[in-house]
Amino acid sequence: MRKWVLKCYKNSVIRYVFFGGCTTLVNLATFFIFRRLFHLSLNPANFLSIVLAGSFAYVVNSKYVFQESCHGLRQHLPSCLRFFSARGVTMFLEMGGVWLLVDVWKMPDMVGKFLIQFCVLVLNYIFSKFFVFTGGKKGS
């Protein structure tokens, strides 16, 4: 079992799917908390959940998925700026998609939020793989 886990961990796509799933859970859980416990309206709750999930995603993608070997703020800054620029693009997709599904098409908010995550997950992987974490890798 241990060998199988280590073999899977060597594959960056498998690592991304796992940590992408964790990021999606952070996104959905914080959205739920902001909506149900703090009674925030749709767009502020969605924005805050995206920001928190994106911050979590940067840390795990940099360290575990794409295994950047950066040390210190100066080395992290270029990939961090690229990461949050790319996440800004997908944030607009997510904000618009959730608004469309929930406010216009009248889906339940958690269903709309969940459905849009699939598009966002794929786009974030493409941006991270080919635009953000392009150098300083410890290994693939």
Side-chain angles (χ1 to χ4, degrees):
M1 179 70 168
R2 186 171 192 267
K3 286 182 182 180
W4 180 79
V5 169
L6 290 172
K7 183 179 178 183
C8 288
Y9 187 76
K10 289 182 181 180
N11 185 314
S12 67
V13 174
I14 291 173
R15 289 192 310 265
Y16 185 81
V17 168
F18 175 77
F19 287 109
C22 293
T23 300
T24 299
L25 286 176
V26 169
N27 195 337
L28 292 170
T30 56
F31 180 74
F32 179 84
I33 290 167
F34 290 137
R35 292 286 284 163
R36 300 301 187 281
L37 298 180
F38 296 126
H39 306 288
L40 290 180
S41 62
L42 181 69
N43 288 330
N46 197 19
F47 176 78
L48 290 172
S49 68
I50 293 167
V51 170
L52 290 172
S55 300
F56 171 81
Y58 177 75
V59 172
V60 297
N61 283 341
S62 175
K63 185 171 177 116
Y64 301 112
V65 177
F66 299 104
Q67 300 179 334
E68 290 278 299
S69 61
C70 301
H71 302 287
L73 181 61
R74 180 169 280 178
Q75 288 184 343
H76 272 284
L77 195 57
S79 66
C80 186
L81 291 173
R82 289 190 304 268
F83 181 85
F84 284 104
S85 295
R87 289 292 168 128
V89 171
T90 58
M91 179 184 69
F92 283 113
L93 170 72
E94 186 170 346
M95 294 287 295
V98 170
W99 171 82
L100 179 69
L101 294 175
V102 174
D103 278 351
V104 177
W105 292 355
K106 305 300 182 199
M107 282 186 184
D109 59 354
M110 289 305 295
V111 173
K113 179 75 169 172
F114 179 78
L115 289 176
I116 204 70
Q117 294 305 300
F118 295 105
C119 297
V120 170
L121 185 72
V122 170
L123 282 175
N124 282 335
Y125 176 76
I126 291 168
F127 286 153
S128 292
K129 176 82 173 170
F130 298 107
F131 175 67
V132 176
F133 299 110
T134 59
K137 292 178 180 25
K138 288 189 271 189
S140 185

